[in-house]
Amino acid sequence: MSGLLPLLLRRIRQTGPMTIADYMVECLIHPGHGYYTTRDPLGAGGDFTTAPEISQMFGEVIGLCLAQAWLDRGAPAPFALAELGPGRGTLMADILRATARVPGFHTAMEVHLVEVSPALRARQSETLPGAAPVWHDRVEDLPEAPLFLVANEFFDALPVRQFLRKGEGWAERVVGAQGERLAFGLTDAAPLAALAGRAADTAEGDLVEVRTAAVALAGEIGRRIAASGGAALVLDYGAWRGTGDTFQAVRGHAKVDPLESPGTADLTAHVDFEALSGAAREAGAAVTPMTPQGVFLQRLGITARAQALARRGDAHRIASEHRRLTHPEEMGDLFKGLGIHRKGDPPLPGLDP
Ligand code: SAH
């Protein structure tokens, strides 16, 4: 037995079953054995692929969206152009290319990347020559400046806890040990103040997911934007107040058992946009409606961009990328966009009510 499994079994024997949130943190970002800390998992040859890896059009229209928001706010200088969990750096590279001709944007910007993985930081530095990005472990470490921030498929990797409704209380789903293997278990049910708001819309046996770290982060982003201005764009799969088990593991583009070979598969759960919106609002910022990705990209002009690219050749490939990003049966409906901005400022283009 090698890797993370023996460490987790020992920990469970010493201090008892772990929450799914703790399990996710260990599996994804353990310094020596974490999935993200030790590899580049993206792309067709990797475990999963993301919108920026599918097509340059995604980052290009998002770049223009952020540049328009910057112009709408009077072109503040200097400002922080920040990305959370930049993966291979592809989205940022496309944003930078698309904004190169926006007068003043590149001279006023400082690029900041929030990334825990040394492997992916190295990859980002190769993808972004000349951008002189500054890396941070945490959002709290970003400078206090007008903030133009994007996070694509970042919040889904943050830890979630799962609770099962039992009577008036909630039992937590945990990861324990069965011999030399990991197994799911349930704690005794107890009333939880944090889930009081879910009493009315759930029934016996329903499962709900709570992502405390993500809520805190959305609050921090909201606080910064309320104080210093800017705008944030969160894109991810999820819904407005989800119910049910969405915890999943993906390896080699297929779903696998999340407890098998910990640290070797991507672990995620759907994002609850209601929780993120609420936290940003409580921190004093305004939020846009949650908008399906297909609608958002269409409003930003992705179809005209696809037509322009198709005229230069490879029209078949461009059409298929456009379909994957926008069609309701592909990524168009499952993925959502949410904008965070300062009260009184215009919402991000494409996300306005
Ligand atoms: N945004 C990219 C990559 C998504 S994968 C894309 O769309 O292609 C998730 C990214 O978030 C990876 O770069 C991963 O290393 C990073 N990440 C995961 N958990 C993190 C955490 N807690 N703090 C900072 N970065 C994290």
Side-chain angles (χ1 to χ4, degrees):
M1 214 193 303
S2 66
L4 198 53
L5 181 58
L7 303 182
L8 295 178
L9 288 171
R10 194 173 68 204
R11 169 177 165 164
I12 290 165
R13 283 187 195 115
Q14 279 175 353
T15 56
M18 314 163 64
T19 64
I20 290 184
D22 284 349
Y23 179 70
M24 284 179 83
V25 169
E26 294 296 335
C27 290
L28 293 179
I29 61 174
H30 182 283
H33 300 285
Y35 178 73
Y36 283 117
T37 24
T38 56
R39 78 197 75 209
D40 168 9
L42 285 143
D47 287 317
F48 63 96
T49 196
T50 56
E53 299 300 329
I54 289 170
S55 172
Q56 67 182 79
M57 294 183 282
F58 182 77
E60 288 170 347
V61 295
I62 285 172
L64 295 178
C65 168
L66 293 173
Q68 186 59 53
W70 176 74
L71 292 169
D72 289 344
R73 283 149 181 75
F79 74 94
L81 178 65
E83 184 176 357
L84 311 185
R88 291 180 161 179
T90 309
L91 172 56
M92 185 54 81
D94 292 338
I95 289 173
L96 294 179
R97 197 180 57 255
T99 54
R101 274 185 282 170
V102 177
F105 192 80
H106 280 212
T107 21
M109 85 187 173
E110 289 167 1
V111 177
H112 293 271
L113 306 176
V114 175
E115 174 60 69
V116 277
S117 164
L120 287 170
R121 282 188 183 196
R123 182 72 201 234
Q124 289 151 20
S125 126
E126 284 166 22
T127 314
L128 299 167
V134 182
W135 280 273
H136 307 275
D137 286 333
R138 303 165 342 125
V139 169
E140 288 78 356
D141 302 333
L142 290 172
E144 289 283 349
L147 176 64
F148 293 80
L149 177 146
V150 61
N152 184 62
E153 288 207 42
F154 171 76
F155 281 87
D156 64 72
L158 297 184
V160 287
R161 293 171 68 180
Q162 292 189 322
F163 296 93
L164 201 75
R165 175 94 185 260
K166 273 193 169 179
E168 294 309 301
W170 299 90
E172 182 159 15
R173 197 158 173 244
V174 289
V175 178
Q178 228 166 42
E180 294 302 301
R181 295 176 61 94
L182 298 171
F184 285 116
L186 272 181
T187 64
D188 290 340
L192 282 178
L195 289 176
R198 299 302 306 263
D201 74 322
T202 53
E204 183 73 15
D206 279 353
L207 188 145
V208 301
E209 295 175 334
V210 177
R211 208 179 227 124
T212 315
V215 167
L217 225 150
E220 174 67 12
I221 295 169
R223 185 193 66 72
R224 281 165 177 269
I225 286 174
S228 307
L233 170 62
V234 176
L235 287 149
D236 225 310
Y237 42 97
W240 193 260
R241 182 191 292 229
T243 303
D245 174 16
T246 69
F247 180 51
Q248 64 168 34
V250 168
R251 188 188 304 121
H253 300 272
K255 283 193 188 179
V256 295
D257 175 355
L259 300 189
E260 188 227 299
S261 305
T264 68
D266 189 31
L267 299 180
T268 66
H270 283 199
V271 170
D272 175 1
F273 284 92
E274 183 187 40
L276 300 188
S277 296
R281 265 206 209 99
E282 247 173 60
V287 294
T288 69
M290 177 185 83
T291 307
Q293 173 171 297
V295 172
F296 171 59
L297 295 176
Q298 295 281 7
R299 287 177 179 167
L300 292 179
I302 197 169
T303 302
R305 180 66 186 136
Q307 285 160 350
L309 285 172
R311 278 194 291 276
R312 293 191 217 152
D314 222 349
H316 186 73
R317 174 177 61 82
I318 302 288
S320 130
E321 292 173 0
H322 176 273
R323 184 187 151 87
R324 277 187 76 185
L325 294 177
T326 60
H327 197 279
E329 283 165 18
E330 305 260 358
M331 300 173 78
D333 250 5
L334 174 62
F335 283 72
K336 314 289 197 306
L338 178 79
I340 302 174
H341 54 277
R342 183 146 72 173
K343 282 180 195 162
D345 279 353
L348 277 170
L351 294 173
D352 26 340

